[in-house]
Amino acid sequence: MTLEEMKQRKKELGYTNEQISELSGVPLGTVQKVFSGVTETPRYDTMRALENVLEKRERAFFDATMVKESVPYYAGKKQGEYTLEDYYALPEDQRVELIDGVFYNMASPTLLHQLLSKEICRALDDYIRQKKGKCMTFMAPADVQLDCDNRTIVQPDVFLLCDLSKMKLNKVYGAPDLIVEVLSKSTKKKDMYLKLGKYVNAEVKEYWLVDPEKQTVLVYDFQHDEYPKIYGFDSIVPVGIFNGECKIDFNEVYESAKVFYEMM
């Protein structure tokens, strides 16, 4: 890959320099210099390490979560070829996401995962009711036809929608304003890399990644070009789409979930 191709691929995937540095083993300063153009002729081994991340590793990240081709009702198509017609033809007990024509299995969420989602949703709802706002919050499973095409349907853990004209019968057609994903072992890399790129390209205004294990909240405020910011579960996290007037106290969220952490 040429440097220009790498830059384009980096943009498509939504990778930050920090993420590429962590995945490739290339020092952050070197990554920054390569992509900013400061280093005009990067070393061969540096370019190979970056290329390995941008070209090859993405597929390895998601192989384990992809729906296997051996399942009978997928016969006749390969990953990358599926559409909404295939999605809605799935058995009711088969929960998946469809991203760029690829099916990804979704494991049942843990009780801690559900509780964190519920507490975040409740805090957003409380603020909206207090302000008599028109925005609405939703929790998974709820279909979001993110790209307004027939190749992508996602089910964010929590999302907030202010343009209610995007609601079409049983799904949302287009990008929500705020999306929150609660990370789990089976979805962590998909949420941190694949979905990050999809959400920024779809013009989601704000994206939160809540990590129950590390007790952190990673905030991408795309609307104000402020990202990423990292907060702990001892922090009060402002909601960017409400200009910081709405704040979620993760001390309270943690207290609600404390019983689960005590069992770990």
Side-chain angles (χ1 to χ4, degrees):
M1 297 174 70
T2 66
L3 180 56
E4 288 304 314
E5 289 173 335
M6 288 187 182
K7 289 180 180 179
Q8 179 61 33
R9 187 63 173 155
K10 176 176 178 282
K11 182 179 179 180
E12 291 173 356
L13 296 174
Y15 281 178
T16 64
N17 288 334
E18 290 81 1
Q19 290 166 335
I20 291 178
S21 173
E22 181 180 351
L23 293 169
S24 66
V26 176
L28 177 58
T30 301
V31 174
Q32 292 172 331
K33 289 178 181 178
V34 169
F35 285 108
S36 67
V38 172
T39 301
E40 296 181 357
T41 56
R43 293 172 53 184
Y44 175 78
D45 55 349
T46 297
M47 292 294 284
R48 287 295 298 163
L50 298 178
E51 183 178 36
N52 188 49
V53 171
L54 295 172
E55 187 175 60
K56 299 178 182 178
R57 289 199 180 185
E58 182 199 11
R59 178 57 58 190
F61 280 163
F62 310 121
D63 280 347
T65 60
M66 286 184 182
V67 174
K68 301 305 180 183
E69 298 291 355
S70 59
V71 180
Y73 42 80
Y74 301 133
K77 288 189 177 181
K78 298 183 296 184
Q79 289 284 30
E81 297 178 350
Y82 296 113
T83 66
L84 295 190
E85 183 179 358
D86 302 304
Y87 178 84
Y88 289 118
L90 294 175
E92 292 184 0
D93 62 350
Q94 180 76 49
R95 188 179 171 210
V96 303
E97 288 183 308
L98 176 67
I99 302 178
D100 294 330
V102 176
F103 278 133
Y104 295 90
N105 277 317
M106 299 184 70
S108 297
T110 65
L111 294 178
L112 174 58
H113 184 288
Q114 288 180 308
L115 180 61
L116 293 174
S117 296
K118 184 186 73 174
E119 288 298 309
I120 294 168
C121 196
R122 178 192 58 78
L124 291 170
D125 279 335
D126 286 349
Y127 175 82
I128 293 169
R129 290 193 185 99
Q130 178 187 352
K131 295 295 184 178
K132 295 181 171 54
K134 295 183 179 180
C135 300
M136 299 180 68
T137 58
F138 300 88
M139 291 178 58
D143 287 346
V144 176
Q145 194 171 341
L146 189 68
D147 297 328
C148 301
D149 63 12
N150 71 338
R151 302 181 69 246
T152 298
I153 284 279
V154 293
Q155 293 186 353
D157 291 319
V158 176
F159 65 91
L160 186 147
L161 187 69
C162 295
D163 182 357
L164 303 186
S165 68
K166 292 181 179 181
M167 292 192 299
K168 309 290 184 182
L169 296 178
N170 62 339
K171 66 185 175 185
V172 170
Y173 189 75
D177 295 87
L178 167 68
I179 289 179
V180 180
E181 297 284 10
V182 180
L183 302 181
S184 62
K185 290 182 179 179
S186 63
T187 66
K188 186 172 185 177
K189 289 176 179 176
K190 179 178 65 171
D191 291 340
M192 291 184 68
Y193 303 111
L194 180 60
K195 280 190 172 181
L196 172 61
K198 293 296 295 183
Y199 291 158
V200 69
N201 289 334
E203 298 186 356
V204 172
K205 294 178 181 177
E206 190 167 356
Y207 181 36
W208 292 18
L209 289 157
V210 178
D211 191 330
E213 183 178 347
K214 294 183 178 179
Q215 298 180 33
T216 58
V217 184
L218 185 62
V219 175
Y220 290 87
D221 186 349
F222 302 122
Q223 186 180 20
H224 299 100
D225 292 326
E226 295 178 2
Y227 54 88
K229 289 187 176 180
I230 302 177
Y231 300 86
F233 275 19
D234 57 351
S235 303
I236 297 176
V237 182
V239 180
I241 64 168
F242 293 134
N243 297 316
E245 293 179 8
C246 173
K247 297 178 175 63
I248 296 182
D249 189 343
F250 271 82
N251 288 284
E252 295 181 357
V253 174
Y254 175 81
E255 284 300 316
S256 298
K258 191 173 181 180
V259 62
F260 293 100
Y261 287 105
E262 291 174 344
M263 291 189 292
M264 292 179 177

